[in-house]
Amino acid sequence: MKQILVLICLFPMLLQGQEDASFDKLIQETNHYLNQYATLSPFDSEYHLISSFDLAQKEREDLIAEANTDIYYGQSLSANKDSILSQYMISYLQKRITGHLNQIVKHPDFQKKDIQNLITSDEMSIVVSDDKKLYNFSFDEKTGGTYRSQISMMYYSEFVPEDSTQANEFQSFFSSDGYTGIYTLNTPEGVKYVLTSSTRFCSLCFASTVRLVSFTKDHFIEEFIHSIATRSWEGGVYYDPIKKIINVDYILDDLTSNCSCCEKNQIEWSEDQFSIFAYNCCYSFVFDGTNFKKVDGVLKKVIDTDQDISEVLSFKMAKNNKEVKVLVHNHQTLTYVFLKPDGQVEFSFPIQGYEKNIDFKINENSSKLTFSNGDVIYQIYETIENGSDKRVGVLVIINDKTYDLKGDLNTLKGSLKNIEVVKLHNVSEE
């Protein structure tokens, strides 16, 4: 169905006979159609009374005539022709909305109006460039699939298509699912536009893109594009219009399994059901006046917040703001993690993740948790007197020398007393 609707957007010249409609009336009717569109669901297979859609008499007659000859949806009308199938009504309103948008952008009053405030329905997303020349209109196609496809229409005030072929090429240059932002860049080579977009293309598949385009003669050209697919909305590609920087920040997964941030310390994602860690890829592109240039970033090992993890104890170091965490994974495995201030894992134990070993020893009476990494002994301590915490930190014993890494008592959360030894396979009582 999307192909049919896109064709409507591509041929604004087909609506020449309706140009005389007043701008205010076009806006009013568009909002009206959008509000009715909002009431329909792609999962609804029922019939709805045609009278409930508050259409003019001529529109009702045309709707019934069109639906009566429809073969795409099957039986679009009820037997007595007073009700219509929900899916057909979605298609009908899509045509009315896109048809009105074509008239609105061609209207002589369009450039004089604040279209973003005039189209009031939440169904429609409108983004406009800073110079008020490039516009994107988009709304949910309502296919009912996990791919949240959009119906999208672009308008550029300096582009007047000579024919339908040129109009088609113009629209097909842009994303069929619309944009979340359009930003203007003034350069020695002329005005350029940064386009940002985000798309959900399956239940847990999210794509984000930043694109740099410019208009030359009678068409747009692409000068830069960067896109990332992830399993979370929280990661991806983002544009900072103030600093003119594209920031890339995502967790490695099966959709994007490596990091192109830097040549050193590369790692390929692989599934490990026992790991509590993930790899965070971060880098940037800086605008140099004409285009975006890549800046090397960093690949950081971090705690995977999507895992089943509970925190037993945490505190920050008194001198450097680094952080100690004692965690339980899957209700059965204890893990010690030492974090840098930016959340990057500097050290963790056990080294190899899940193993059926006794990795830790706990002395509940003295509130000490001990483990050995080669010849180095670590002892997390929590000194308690009269029911109040007095000291917290980590003793590191190397070659019979003891180093006391004191923690900031004000940052202490939890307690070693919370460790349930009987439930943990890699902890024993001392």
Side-chain angles (χ1 to χ4, degrees), residues 156-212:
Y156 186 51
S157 62
E158 299 190 6
F159 171 69
V160 180
E162 295 178 358
D163 51 36
S164 59
T165 300
Q166 196 177 58
N168 192 343
E169 290 174 352
F170 173 83
Q171 291 289 345
S172 62
F173 173 83
F174 297 98
S175 168
S176 61
D177 289 312
Y179 293 94
T180 56
I182 303 176
Y183 306 92
T184 306
L185 291 174
N186 295 306
T187 79
E189 299 174 349
V191 174
K192 299 182 181 183
Y193 298 98
V194 178
L195 310 176
T196 61
S197 61
S198 58
T199 307
R200 174 180 171 180
F201 58 95
C202 79
S203 296
L204 289 174
C205 312
F206 307 99
S208 55
T209 303
V210 175
R211 193 180 187 195
L212 180 67

Side-chain angles (χ1 to χ4, degrees), residues 312-315 364-368 380-393 407-418:
V312 175
L313 172 81
S314 70
F315 58 87
E364 295 193 60
N365 293 328
S366 57
S367 293
K368 294 178 181 178
I380 301 95
Y381 63 85
E382 181 185 8
T383 302
I384 301 174
E385 296 179 5
N386 301 321
S388 299
D389 293 296
K390 295 299 182 182
R391 292 193 310 120
V392 67
D408 180 356
L409 197 60
N410 294 322
T411 65
L412 177 64
K413 297 178 183 178
S415 172
L416 293 176
K417 296 286 187 181
N418 295 336

Side-chain angles (χ1 to χ4, degrees), residues 205-253:
C205 312
F206 307 99
S208 55
T209 303
V210 175
R211 193 180 187 195
L212 180 67
V213 302
S214 60
F215 189 74
T216 303
K217 294 181 180 179
D218 60 354
H219 65 281
F220 274 94
I221 60 173
E222 180 178 275
E223 300 193 18
F224 172 90
I225 187 169
H226 195 70
S227 183
I228 293 294
T230 69
R231 293 293 183 185
S232 171
W233 270 122
E234 296 178 358
V237 187
Y238 308 94
Y239 178 62
D240 184 337
I242 305 299
K243 297 180 179 179
K244 299 178 183 178
I245 294 176
I246 298 170
N247 293 309
V248 186
D249 188 338
Y250 63 94
I251 299 294
L252 268 58
D253 55 33

Side-chain angles (χ1 to χ4, degrees), residues 5 110 125 140 177 197 230 272 285 288 347 371 375:
L5 291 165
F110 173 64
S125 170
D140 190 348
D177 289 312
S197 61
T230 69
D272 181 358
F285 296 89
D288 65 1
F347 172 72
F371 66 90
D375 295 332

